[in-house]
Amino acid sequence: QSPVALPTPEDWSDDCEWGVVPAWSSGAARAPPPAATRPPPPSGGGRAPAASSGDAPLLVPDVRSVCGLAAGVSHSAALSAKGRLWMFGDNGDGQLGLGDGGARRISGPQRVPALVSVKVRTVACGGFFTAAVVAGGGMVTFGANECGQLGHGGREAERAPRLVRALEGTPIAQVACGACHLVALSETGALHVCGRNGDGELGTGDLVGANAELPRR
């Protein structure tokens, strides 16, 4: 699929009511339209009309001023320019961060309740888990944890965002996730890793199979 040209956050108001995130179905691969630009606001509404299903991109409703995206195996995250985080997709392991009462699947974007009053700086999705860096440099993780990839010192899944206490006092600037491991970069340039190490993906020089349940350098 070829890249889709989208307007930047500066090109629209944060008060717009229609989505700006394109999504494709899992049908046969085909290039999207040559140029996808902001559609004119529909008269009397404020929402773009629903697109037909198929291989063409669809507008995801209700997500405003998107400046960051991440996707796991079957869940997605969208981050706005104002630090608002939306999640959608599979929530079987709590990877949407909706808490114990969260639905098994969410087909439309939903704010993470525990992060509604918190500004999120960046987000990353692993296979079935999520990590987010919030204002001040703290990092929260939630979802599957079979290899200790959440960094809490155990292997229990977390269905709501939980602060990684082992990194308190170490402001995090960036985070990235693999299928079952996580790498976090501090503001001072130090690299912290946790999770599966079956193929040496943590880069710690340990023997293959030495998983890390707490962040290591």
Side-chain angles (χ1 to χ4, degrees):
Q1 294 174 344
S2 59
V4 176
L6 290 174
T8 63
E10 291 75 21
D11 293 330
W12 60 78
S13 166
D14 189 58
D15 294 326
C16 62
E17 291 291 335
W18 43 272
V20 294
V21 181
W24 282 266
S25 73
S26 58
R30 187 178 66 189
T37 57
R38 173 180 176 175
S43 59
R47 294 183 182 273
S52 60
S53 60
D55 296 326
L58 308 177
L59 288 178
V60 177
D62 300 322
V63 181
R64 306 175 182 180
S65 300
V66 174
C67 66
L69 295 169
V73 169
S74 53
H75 73 293
S76 303
L79 182 63
S80 82
K82 290 192 174 183
R84 298 165 182 160
L85 179 63
W86 286 268
M87 304 292 300
F88 42 103
D90 179 28
N91 193 39
D93 293 290
Q95 58 264 53
L96 302 188
L98 305 180
D100 290 334
R104 174 67 172 75
R105 294 182 179 87
I106 300 295
S107 60
Q110 185 167 328
R111 296 283 300 277
V112 178
L115 299 178
V116 167
S117 60
V118 178
K119 184 174 183 179
V120 177
R121 291 167 47 179
T122 187
V123 63
C125 293
F128 298 96
F129 70 101
T130 305
V133 178
V134 300
M139 185 173 73
V140 297
T141 57
F142 42 100
N145 194 32
E146 67 273 21
C147 295
Q149 61 264 38
L150 300 187
H152 302 303
R155 298 195 180 190
E156 292 185 7
E158 299 288 343
R159 303 196 65 84
R162 179 179 174 185
L163 183 68
V164 179
R165 297 288 182 184
L167 293 177
E168 280 192 293
T170 304
I172 300 300
Q174 298 180 37
V175 62
C177 301
C180 294
H181 75 290
L182 175 152
V183 293
L185 181 67
S186 76
E187 292 182 354
T188 60
L191 188 63
H192 302 264
V193 297
C194 56
R196 184 181 185 275
N197 197 36
D199 295 297
E201 53 264 63
L202 299 187
T204 57
D206 293 347
L207 295 176
V208 172
N211 296 349
E213 297 177 0
L214 285 170
R216 298 180 56 185
R217 291 185 61 177

